[in-house]
């Protein structure tokens, strides 16, 4: 008598005896390792973002700090005077000394080429200095020696400023076969096309400007004088007797 064929079951097919069964203990370990690697990658990305943020936040102040140390703020202030473009056609800055007055205090010098006459240029710069808070400074030795053109002195806070506006020193065009002519103060030696003016600005710390200190007087009535001076033939006085 034939055996009835077994009906197919809806459940999973039985594995053969030689097929390995799934390792239930290994699967959780693999998932745990994958989660650990994911957490490591997240930590690494977070560390990189923090490092980049620190670099960017530190680089910006460092950039401006280096710029501040390399660029004297006095020159920035002079740039903001608001003079017309024709009064500052060409600017050359020079600085010497220490900002903290180590050995020598800082001296700022600016030379500007103006396209108009000295009188008009001087008026423009003086008006700009007044608007910026500078006050005219009436002091002796301003200038140190007689000069041509307009020479004025100014003070503001802890700084002093010398403004000198004069005609430019022009060099006549060279002649073939002759050496170049050295600039001369003689107006007849200047080229006919030489126009405009030359502006010199000198800014110093007031404590380093000798004109802010008491000046010695040359009035003999204030220096004192001996009415009966004693003059000796021997400038060293009488000889000291030697012991016998």
């Amino acid at each position: 008598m034939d055996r009835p064929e077994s009906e197919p079951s809806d459940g999973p097919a039985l594995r053969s005896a030689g097929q390995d069964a799934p390792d239930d203990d290994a699967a959780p370990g693999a998932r745990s390792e994958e989660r650990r690697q994911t957490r490591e990658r997240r930590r690494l990305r977070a560390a990189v973002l923090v490092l980049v943020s620190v670099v960017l936040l530190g680089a910006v102040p460092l950039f401006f700090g280096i710029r501040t140390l390399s660029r004297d703020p006095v020159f920035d202030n002079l740039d903001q005077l608001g003079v017309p473009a024709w009064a500052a056609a060409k600017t050359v800055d020079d600085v010497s000394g220490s900002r903290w007055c180590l050995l020598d205090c800082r001296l700022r010098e600016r030379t500007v080429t103006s396209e108009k006459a000295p009188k008009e240029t001087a008026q423009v710069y003086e008006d700009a200095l007044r608007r910026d808070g500078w006050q005219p400074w009436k002091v002796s030795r301003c200038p140190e020696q007689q000069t041509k053109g307009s020479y004025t002195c100014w003070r503001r806070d802890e700084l002093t400023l010398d403004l000198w506006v004069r005609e430019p020193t022009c060099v006549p065009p060279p002649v073939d076969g002759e050496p170049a002519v050295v600039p001369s103060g003689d107006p007849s030696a200047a080229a006919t096309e030489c126009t405009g003016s030359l502006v010199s600005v000198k800014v110093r710390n007031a404590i380093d400007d000798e004109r802010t200190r008491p000046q010695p007087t040359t009035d003999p009535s204030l220096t004192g004088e001996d009415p009966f001076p004693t003059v000796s033939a021997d400038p060293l006085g009488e000889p000291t007797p030697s012991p016998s």
Side-chain angles (χ1 to χ4, degrees):
M1 186 174 182
D2 297 335
R3 293 181 179 178
E5 295 180 359
S6 59
E7 296 180 358
S9 174
D10 296 337
L14 297 177
R15 295 178 180 274
S16 62
Q19 186 177 2
D20 295 336
D23 190 353
D24 295 339
D25 295 336
R31 290 194 296 270
S32 176
E33 179 65 20
E34 184 178 355
R35 288 194 297 269
R36 187 186 67 81
Q37 293 178 358
T38 302
R39 288 194 299 268
E40 290 295 333
R41 287 194 294 269
R42 289 177 180 174
R43 292 194 190 99
L44 181 60
R45 285 197 296 268
V48 171
L49 290 176
V50 170
L51 180 60
V52 171
S53 300
V54 170
V55 171
L56 291 178
L57 293 175
V60 173
L62 181 62
F63 168 76
F64 286 104
I66 295 176
R67 182 181 177 184
T68 301
L69 291 176
S70 60
R71 175 69 174 176
D72 196 298
V74 172
F75 290 125
D76 295 333
N77 183 264
L78 294 177
D79 291 337
Q80 299 171 5
L81 284 179
V83 297
W86 57 260
K90 182 180 179 181
T91 301
V92 178
D93 292 336
D94 187 25
V95 62
S96 61
S98 169
R99 183 177 300 180
W100 295 275
C101 288
L102 300 176
L103 298 180
D104 294 322
C105 288
R106 177 153 289 190
L107 172 63
R108 302 93 169 169
E109 295 180 281
R110 166 169 288 190
T111 304
V112 185
T113 302
S114 174
E115 297 175 351
K116 294 192 178 182
K119 184 177 180 180
E120 186 175 358
T121 301
Q123 187 63 47
V124 165
Y125 273 90
E126 291 175 9
D127 293 342
L129 288 173
R130 287 189 178 92
R131 288 194 302 268
D132 197 45
W134 291 87
Q135 299 295 327
W137 186 28
K138 304 297 183 181
V139 63
S140 59
R141 298 169 60 188
C142 176
E144 299 282 348
Q145 55 186 2
Q146 291 296 327
T147 57
K148 296 182 179 180
S150 172
Y151 198 109
T152 54
C153 297
W154 305 75
R155 284 198 67 171
R156 194 189 72 174
D157 301 330
E158 75 282 0
L159 299 174
T160 65
L161 183 147
D162 289 33
L163 174 66
W164 182 23
V165 184
R166 73 266 189 202
E167 294 182 354
T169 303
C170 302
V171 181
V175 180
D176 294 340
E178 296 184 4
V181 179
V182 178
S184 172
D186 185 4
S188 61
T192 56
E193 66 273 13
C194 182
T195 58
S197 56
L198 196 62
V199 182
S200 293
V201 180
K202 183 186 297 183
V203 183
R204 287 177 283 188
N205 293 57
I207 60 174
D208 192 50
D209 195 330
E210 296 180 353
R211 296 170 298 181
T212 61
R213 306 166 190 168
Q215 300 298 316
T217 180
T218 58
D219 187 355
S221 64
L222 301 178
T223 58
E225 184 177 340
D226 187 356
F228 304 102
T230 302
V231 179
S232 172
D234 188 353
L236 299 180
E238 296 294 334
T240 304
S242 59
S244 55

